[in-house]
Amino acid sequence: MRYDDGDEDEILVANTSDLPRGIKEGFAVVYHFEVKEPTLEKWKSLMNSKANKDIARLNLSPTNLTLPIALMMMDPSNKFETISGARKICRDGCILLHRGQLGMNENNGQRTVFLPERSKIGKVGDRVYPGDVIGKQVVVGNGFYLERKFTRAPLFELPVIFQDDHFAIINKPAGVVVHSPKDPNQEFPTIKPALPHVLDPPKAGTISALKRPKSIHRLDRLTSGALVIGKTSSAVNHLSTQFCDRKVKKTYTCIINGIPLKDPNSTISSKAAYELGVDVDPESDNEWQLIDSPLDDKPAITVWRAVQCVQSLQARDNHLTLVEVKPKTGRFHQIRRHMALNCDHAIVGDKEYDGNHEGAVKLRGRGLFLCSNKVVLEHPFYNTRAGRGVWDTMEESSKSFKEGKLWLHQEDDMVIVCVSVELPNKFSELLDRPNASFQEHGEDA
């Protein structure tokens, strides 16, 4: 069985009820270790590493180390391969330093209690000695979001498509921005302050729970559809890595002004599209068009196919086309630019790329016709060791829901989440009404 370890906290601890308390309110110690004099072999290996200059400059010895050096040499998670990584976690306030032996836990008879009078949040310059104890503390979910109490509920609907204790997928409406605009003169409704009002917080005791949910990626203000949200720091890291590594498979649907022509030299089979890494059934007979055209000097790949074509008096060449789009990369305005520049047919309502001609202007009244309507990704918790144990005990009925499902992909041995979003009503309304109008007026119109 292959696991994506993600955050080590998720691996080492599955049950939080017996975790030692941290020295910050709402924190718990997920693991700790006693500082011991390093072996001669470890000390020599460190002496030969890039830390050699620090050892000489700071007058270190096997019984007199700085906290980052101790983390590099002794941390059981083996996460700190560089001195910069060890220093960073110290600066983040996640490391506890306890002088001497831990206190006794009366419930289990073990020495696991970080005594307040002997504990401190470790800093980069702290010295540690044999017998000291180093621990890592993380936020533990408390079962509520403070923003629900202290901020106003959003003035727009924000449907939740899927959520659990680790992440969520919401249906972002068009016209709403994911993050606050950089320009203070622009005022648009924002997703970030709305999230605590529509999402359930992680259950009390959830490891690495965030004080407020965090969006993993962005959608343009004018684009609607599936937006992935993290609820724990480990889920944010896991999901962000998937987006960076292009493991997340996204499907968009748009309406194009006109009939985009198929290029025989760019036509690929469903199997070829699948092998590119987009969400396509490799057994399907559908043919796809491949756009492999850099944007801003970066590789940009989009796969698309026409799904439906209807007549419209106002449209270019008297036709509108419903198009299914599978972007492999995620460049700025990639789909909008590839459709307008490479297919020579802009998305309906795209003021920035539609060429400003008469037919495009007439169709601008209802916004941009672009929706992120499907996303497939790896679950950020169920693919860790602790998470897989939870997955194995889940009832099958809890693995499916109205808009999608979770399943174990046998080939990769990974738990996959697939979520679909219904297209906004304006899509069907635009496709239905122009067709009727054309039939009524005929070719003489």
Side-chain angles (χ1 to χ4, degrees):
M1 182 178 290
R2 182 174 69 86
Y3 294 104
D4 184 338
D5 286 348
D7 194 301
E8 289 293 333
D9 303 340
E10 300 286 9
I11 298 172
L12 296 173
V13 179
N15 182 3
T16 65
S17 59
D18 295 326
L19 287 177
R21 290 186 178 183
I23 60 175
K24 279 185 177 181
E25 185 67 28
F27 280 69
V29 181
V30 290
Y31 68 85
H32 61 271
F33 61 93
E34 182 181 348
V35 176
K36 298 180 179 179
E37 185 174 340
T39 63
L40 185 61
E41 290 77 13
K42 276 194 174 183
W43 184 251
K44 284 183 176 180
S45 67
L46 189 63
M47 287 290 287
N48 293 328
S49 72
K50 295 179 181 180
N52 190 25
K53 292 181 180 179
D54 286 332
I55 293 172
R57 179 174 59 86
L58 298 172
N59 192 28
L60 304 178
S61 72
T63 57
N64 184 349
L65 304 172
T66 61
L67 183 55
I69 295 290
L71 287 171
M72 287 181 64
M73 299 185 70
M74 304 175 193
D75 189 287
S77 68
N78 296 317
K79 292 180 66 173
F80 307 108
E81 297 180 356
T82 64
I83 192 69
S84 59
R87 286 171 176 164
K88 182 180 184 302
I89 196 169
C90 292
R91 295 189 183 104
D92 290 343
C94 297
I95 299 300
L96 296 185
L97 179 56
H98 186 280
R99 296 300 183 188
Q101 199 174 46
L102 295 179
M104 185 69 70
N105 184 331
E106 296 181 357
N107 293 327
N108 57 23
Q110 299 179 0
R111 290 193 175 275
T112 57
V113 178
F114 279 72
L115 302 172
E117 64 273 16
R118 295 188 181 182
S119 302
K120 61 172 293 188
I121 295 176
K123 297 181 179 180
V124 170
D126 284 337
R127 298 278 176 154
V128 297
Y129 310 97
D132 290 342
V133 177
I134 298 173
K136 181 180 179 182
Q137 64 174 7
V138 299
V139 177
V140 175
N142 53 16
F144 64 91
Y145 286 134
L146 288 176
E147 283 83 349
R148 284 187 174 179
K149 181 176 181 181
F150 295 109
T151 62
R152 189 172 61 179
L155 300 178
F156 54 88
E157 290 188 13
L158 192 59
V160 178
I161 308 303
F162 166 83
Q163 68 170 322
D164 58 20
D165 288 332
H166 309 280
F167 85 113
I169 300 176
I170 61 173
N171 187 0
K172 185 191 90 67
V176 178
V177 296
V178 177
H179 302 290
S180 300
K182 294 181 180 179
D183 186 350
N185 297 319
Q186 292 182 333
E187 294 186 3
F188 299 112
T190 308
I191 290 291
K192 183 178 178 180
L195 293 176
H197 291 276
V198 299
L199 295 179
D200 296 330
K203 293 186 180 68
T206 301
I207 288 293
S208 301
L210 298 173
K211 293 181 179 178
R212 59 188 64 84
K214 182 177 180 180
S215 58
I216 307 299
H217 60 120
R218 64 183 295 274
L219 293 175
D220 293 337
R221 178 176 64 87
L222 300 176
T223 304
S224 64
L227 185 69
V228 182
I229 308 296
K231 294 186 179 183
T232 69
S233 61
S234 54
V236 169
N237 292 336
H238 194 291
L239 293 166
S240 297
T241 299
Q242 288 188 58
F243 274 94
C244 289
D245 293 345
R246 300 174 186 169
K247 290 184 177 180
V248 179
K249 298 180 179 180
K250 299 165 286 184
T251 299
Y252 288 75
T253 299
C254 60
I255 297 180
I256 299 297
N257 189 0
I259 305 175
L261 299 178
K262 294 182 179 180
D263 181 357
N265 296 323
S266 300
T267 301
I268 60 174
S269 65
S270 291
K271 182 178 181 181
Y274 175 82
E275 291 173 348
L276 279 174
V278 296
D279 182 29
V280 172
D281 179 3
E283 304 298 326
S284 172
D285 294 330
N286 291 327
E287 290 186 337
W288 296 81
Q289 291 290 301
L290 172 65
I291 301 176
D292 187 353
S293 178
L295 295 172
D296 304 322
D297 297 323
K298 296 179 180 179
I301 298 174
T302 302
V303 176
W304 67 273
R305 72 180 183 97
V307 177
Q308 180 185 4
C309 187
V310 301
Q311 295 176 319
S312 170
L313 285 172
Q314 295 180 325
R316 179 179 172 182
D317 300 326
N318 292 330
H319 283 86
L320 295 172
T321 306
L322 184 70
V323 174
E324 183 179 9
V325 186
K326 312 275 188 175
K328 174 61 178 176
T329 52
R331 306 305 175 202
F332 178 70
H333 289 177
Q334 175 174 317
I335 296 175
R336 296 166 62 181
R337 294 160 75 182
H338 271 174
M339 290 294 106
L341 303 178
N342 294 81
C343 296
D344 194 32
H345 287 75
I347 298 174
V348 172
D350 195 340
K351 297 180 181 180
E352 193 162 349
Y353 301 106
D354 65 9
N356 204 36
H357 57 78
E358 183 180 359
V361 172
K362 289 181 179 179
L363 292 170
R364 285 180 178 175
R366 303 192 65 182
L368 183 70
F369 281 76
L370 176 62
C371 177
S372 170
N373 61 301
K374 186 179 179 183
V375 62
V376 180
L377 48 79
E378 298 171 5
H379 196 283
F381 176 66
Y382 293 140
N383 292 305
T384 64
R385 288 192 179 95
R388 186 55 60 87
V390 177
W391 170 263
D392 290 340
T393 62
M394 287 176 59
E395 296 183 2
E396 289 300 318
S397 59
S398 63
K399 297 178 182 179
S400 61
F401 46 98
K402 181 180 177 182
E403 295 83 2
K405 63 179 180 178
L406 291 77
W407 78 93
L408 181 63
H409 193 278
Q410 298 296 333
E411 182 178 341
D412 298 329
D413 195 29
M414 300 292 286
V415 176
I416 304 298
V417 182
C418 176
V419 169
S420 298
V421 173
E422 289 187 4
L423 295 176
N425 291 334
K426 68 178 185 180
F427 276 69
S428 59
E429 293 170 358
L430 181 64
L431 293 174
D432 290 343
R433 286 193 295 184
N435 192 32
S437 176
F438 193 98
Q439 291 175 352
E440 178 181 345
H441 293 284
E443 296 291 344
D444 296 332

